[in-house]
Each structure stands twice: as structure tokens, then as C-alpha cells.
Amino acid sequence: MEGIEIGFFDTAKNWSIDNYANYYRYFSHSDRDIRKYSLLVFAAALGNWWMKSAFVFLTLGEIEEKQDFQSELYLLEDYVQAFLKNKEAIQREFPLLYNSILVDLIHLDNEKCFENTFPAANKKIFSELRKTLKNSDIDEKYQYNFNDLLREVGLPTFLKD
């Protein structure tokens, strides 16, 4: 996450296999820093996708092309499922980070419906996600102060307030 304070969640990171991990597995980890960084990685992956600086989550066609690396792929379905499972705890502990994830999910789904982008994924998960998005007070116009988000997760700020 080095440099996040300068580039927000939309600056492309190194998503190579050398940096791969199943970060979604740590959304409920007992260590706050591990939870925090795993969620920041998810937020960065969504921000990269929304700003088109990197496409972290793969579609069915891309997955089929990379069959040799099946265990080392970022699958949106895994991340959304873990996010939904832990949403109350995430919202309570990191409300700004939670909201930033929600707004990027809204943008991405509005741009191209998740079921169309990821036809092999379990459509029930996207339906459940939309319920969460609809029940939140967040819409695509939502804005937050990035310095406040950085303070919330205990990272240094870069921009002037």
C-alpha cells in the first residue's frame, strides 16, 4: 500500500503474482492491522478498476486463459462474499473505508452490471450486494475526505486538508 496517501485508490499498484494473496480471507482477522490492510487492498483493487488504471478482478474468459494460475487469481465473487459476511464489523470499525468501497461498487455495477462482467459468478452474491448498496445511504455522488480516511486507518496524510 506504499504511496496510497499520494495516489488514492485509483493509482495502479503492482498486482503481479509476486504480490498475490487471498486478502479477502483477512477481512475478519483478529489483528486490526491485517484487517485494515486487507480492506485497503480491496478498496485499491476497486479504485484501480473504476479509474481503469488496472483490472485486478478477472472475467470468465480471462480465468480460462490463465488456467495454470487458478489458485492465484483475484476473484470478485470471493471479495464480495467476504465483504458482505463482515459488513457490519467493517462499517463499525472503518466507516469511511466501508463507504469508499460501497461507492466504487456502485459505480462499477452501474457502469456494467456485475452479472454481465462476471457471468460465471454466483448471481445471488450480486443480488445480496445490491441490497446492501440500496440499504446504505451511499450513492454514486458520495464523496469523502481522503485524509480523513487515511487518519481512520492510521496512515499518514499527504494532501492539505
Side-chain angles (χ1 to χ4, degrees), residues 2 11-20 23 48 54 56 74:
E2 187 176 324
T11 301
K13 300 293 180 192
N14 182 356
W15 297 102
S16 75
I17 202 149
D18 297 334
N19 293 320
Y20 178 84
Y23 298 103
N48 280 202
V56 179
Y74 295 96

Side-chain angles (χ1 to χ4, degrees), residues 23 26-27 29-39:
Y23 298 103
Y26 305 104
F27 288 1
H29 196 277
S30 60
D31 184 304
R32 183 182 190 276
D33 280 343
I34 292 173
R35 284 191 311 276
K36 167 183 76 177
Y37 284 115
S38 68
L39 289 162

Side-chain angles (χ1 to χ4, degrees), residues 20-78:
Y20 178 84
N22 289 316
Y23 298 103
Y24 67 91
R25 292 183 178 168
Y26 305 104
F27 288 1
S28 62
H29 196 277
S30 60
D31 184 304
R32 183 182 190 276
D33 280 343
I34 292 173
R35 284 191 311 276
K36 167 183 76 177
Y37 284 115
S38 68
L39 289 162
L40 285 167
V41 167
F42 181 42
L46 293 172
N48 280 202
W49 177 12
W50 170 240
M51 297 308 292
K52 311 220 181 340
S53 57
F55 298 95
V56 179
F57 300 106
L58 301 178
T59 65
L60 179 60
E62 293 166 326
I63 290 168
E64 289 170 354
E65 289 174 13
K66 298 176 187 273
Q67 285 180 357
D68 296 342
F69 302 102
Q70 289 279 335
S71 63
E72 297 171 340
L73 302 175
Y74 295 96
L75 303 176
L76 182 65
E77 188 174 359
D78 293 335

Side-chain angles (χ1 to χ4, degrees), residues 4 7 12 44-45 49 51 68 71 91-92 105 107 119 122 140 152:
I4 192 172
W49 177 12
M51 297 308 292
D68 296 342
S71 63
Q91 184 179 27
R92 215 175 17 259
L105 287 166
H107 284 135
N122 181 341
E140 60 187 27
E152 174 182 273

Side-chain angles (χ1 to χ4, degrees), residues 116-135:
N116 293 336
T117 306
F118 303 100
N122 181 341
K123 289 161 186 35
K124 240 176 131 173
I125 291 172
F126 297 137
S127 177
E128 186 180 340
L129 173 62
R130 283 194 194 91
K131 286 179 190 171
T132 296
L133 297 174
K134 185 179 178 188
N135 291 334

Side-chain angles (χ1 to χ4, degrees), residues 91 94-101 142 144-145 148-149 152:
Q91 184 179 27
F94 305 112
L96 292 175
L97 180 55
Y98 176 83
N99 289 346
S100 74
I101 290 170
Y142 173 80
Y144 59 92
N145 181 298
D148 289 342
L149 187 149
E152 174 182 273

